[in-house]
Amino acid sequence: MKTFSAKAQEQNPTWWVIDAKNQILGDVAVAAANLLRGKNKPTFTPHVDTGDFVVVLNAAEVRLSGKKEQQKIYTSKAGYVGNQKVENVERVRARRPELLVERAVKGMVPHNSLGRSVLGKLKIYSGAEHPHEAQNPKPFAVA
């Protein structure tokens, strides 16, 4: 019996919609990361992009458990001396709410070229509207 290995050009990706309204951020990120990688498919191959496209709606209304809204911090650094920037979740949500979901999903995909290509199939919107109706996305229920 030969070992099966999926090929990227033979994949037929589907589109999924995840509504993040009143959902826990981690649950939304896990569901999105699994769909992006293709882990829900029987043809999953770790080194091949076998995943689907994911549209996350209502990213501005995602919930965090506990006191993470005030206590969790996001840091960024440009490489210059004294140029470390620190923001908590409240400030990130006010400035750009899509970044919360994007950073959570980015930490759950591989940190290499495959992960970067997978993240290109993630579309995040802070409201309930999206421009991907032509792709007929299917709703995905976060468990």
Side-chain angles (χ1 to χ4, degrees), residues 25-26 39 51 58 61 63 72 75 85 88 99 106 109-111 114-115 124 137:
L25 175 61
K39 287 195 161 192
N58 296 316
E61 299 175 32
R63 288 189 308 130
K72 182 174 177 64
T75 61
K85 296 176 183 166
N88 62 1
L99 209 55
K106 186 176 181 179
V109 297
H111 304 294
L114 175 64
I124 306 170

Side-chain angles (χ1 to χ4, degrees), residues 15-75:
W15 285 70
W16 297 96
V17 172
I18 297 176
D19 189 8
K21 187 172 189 174
N22 294 325
Q23 299 286 335
I24 301 289
L25 175 61
D27 294 341
V28 172
V30 166
N34 285 340
L35 288 171
L36 287 169
R37 291 282 321 270
K39 287 195 161 192
N40 58 334
K41 296 181 176 182
T43 59
F44 171 69
T45 307
H47 64 280
V48 178
D49 185 5
T50 58
D52 297 327
F53 287 85
V54 177
V55 178
V56 178
L57 301 178
N58 296 316
E61 299 175 32
V62 72
R63 288 189 308 130
L64 278 86
S65 60
K67 297 181 181 178
K68 293 187 190 96
E69 194 78 29
Q70 295 83 25
Q71 293 179 350
K72 182 174 177 64
I73 59 170
Y74 291 106
T75 61

Side-chain angles (χ1 to χ4, degrees), residues 97-136:
E98 302 90 13
L99 209 55
L100 294 173
V101 178
E102 183 180 334
R103 284 180 172 168
V105 173
K106 186 176 181 179
M108 296 182 185
V109 297
H111 304 294
N112 54 23
S113 60
L114 175 64
R116 289 188 294 276
S117 69
V118 162
L119 281 176
K121 298 190 298 186
L122 177 66
K123 316 294 181 191
I124 306 170
Y125 300 98
S126 60
E129 299 296 320
H130 65 89
H132 304 290
E133 290 298 329
Q135 284 77 21
N136 296 324

